[in-house]
Amino acid sequence: MCDATLKASARKALESIGGTDRYTELSGNQENGDPHRFSVPLAAKRLHSELPLRNKCAVYKADGKNDFPLLDIDFEAQAASSVPGKDVKAGDGEVFYPLGAFAVVNSKPGSDYTTLVFTCATKGPDGSASHVKASLYVPTEQTQPDSTATDRMTVLNDVSRAMAVHLGCADEAALPAQVPGPAKG
């Protein structure tokens, strides 16, 4: 899954989120000719592209009972001015993590959004960016009730670590191998 970026802890977290250990990704190609299946190099190449052109990791339960992905991971280039500050206070349903430049799981009715922003200079046709924003979306109706915010952050962190390594910014990305507990405060 997700270009074999998920380590043992993330595979266990994915099982906790979806309630199974059997998943699949779409086969075939998108309209622009890019494969549906996620690859870190292609996602890195498309960081500065508009959403429909970016290469996303869409993970489906292998049981075939749902046409919608269990989770959807997307990467995009982001300017430093778009990165929330460390002084942002948690709102209802938000859990912050001491990862990267900014990391939060935001549980809203019907879905969970996980965001992880890390320092990583990239260049694209639209110019340069100082950060990469990784986003993970999970629809609540497919999520196991006992899965946690840390499960979602663990999956996103592993894929993000692989992206940071590929882009050559792993040292400044501040993405540890093991996700620490939520930030206090």
Side-chain angles (χ1 to χ4, degrees), residues 3 11 17 21 26 48 61 63 84 107-108 111 114 122 134 167 173:
D3 200 11
R11 288 190 306 269
I17 293 167
D21 61 356
L26 289 179
H48 289 261
K61 290 182 183 181
D63 63 14
S107 298
K108 295 183 177 190
S111 63
T114 304
T122 61
L167 293 170

Side-chain angles (χ1 to χ4, degrees), residues 75 100-101 116-120 130-132 134 160 163-164 167 169 173 175:
F75 290 93
L116 177 55
V117 180
F118 58 93
T119 303
C120 190
S130 60
H131 290 77
V132 172
S160 297
M163 178 64 75
L167 293 170
C169 58
L175 303 173

Side-chain angles (χ1 to χ4, degrees), residues 16-182:
S16 176
I17 293 167
T20 182
D21 61 356
R22 298 188 58 238
Y23 298 96
T24 188
E25 291 181 73
L26 289 179
S27 59
N29 293 327
Q30 299 178 47
E31 288 180 26
N32 68 356
D34 286 347
H36 282 293
R37 187 171 297 277
F38 177 80
S39 83
V40 172
L42 183 55
K45 179 180 172 183
R46 299 278 189 228
L47 280 175
H48 289 261
S49 300
E50 293 298 318
L51 182 61
L53 297 177
R54 292 197 298 259
N55 183 240
K56 300 187 307 180
C57 179
V59 176
Y60 295 78
K61 290 182 183 181
D63 63 14
K65 293 180 181 173
N66 199 318
D67 293 338
F68 298 100
L70 169 68
L71 59 86
D72 197 335
I73 299 174
D74 179 51
F75 290 93
E76 67 179 303
Q78 190 166 45
S81 60
S82 299
V83 178
K86 296 285 185 187
D87 58 343
V88 173
K89 300 291 183 209
D92 286 345
E94 290 182 325
V95 179
F96 289 99
Y97 287 83
L99 294 169
F102 180 79
V104 66
V105 176
N106 188 339
S107 298
K108 295 183 177 190
S111 63
D112 283 302
Y113 294 92
T114 304
T115 303
L116 177 55
V117 180
F118 58 93
T119 303
C120 190
T122 61
K123 292 182 180 169
D126 60 344
S128 298
S130 60
H131 290 77
V132 172
K133 177 183 177 184
S135 304
L136 179 145
Y137 167 76
V138 179
T140 305
E141 66 272 1
Q142 290 196 60
T143 306
Q144 296 300 304
D146 59 344
S147 73
T148 66
T150 300
D151 291 333
R152 290 179 275 294
M153 188 59 73
T154 297
V155 170
L156 187 58
N157 185 63
D158 269 13
V159 184
S160 297
R161 282 174 47 88
M163 178 64 75
V165 167
H166 179 80
L167 293 170
C169 58
D171 290 342
E172 67 260 30
L175 303 173
Q178 189 72 30
V179 171

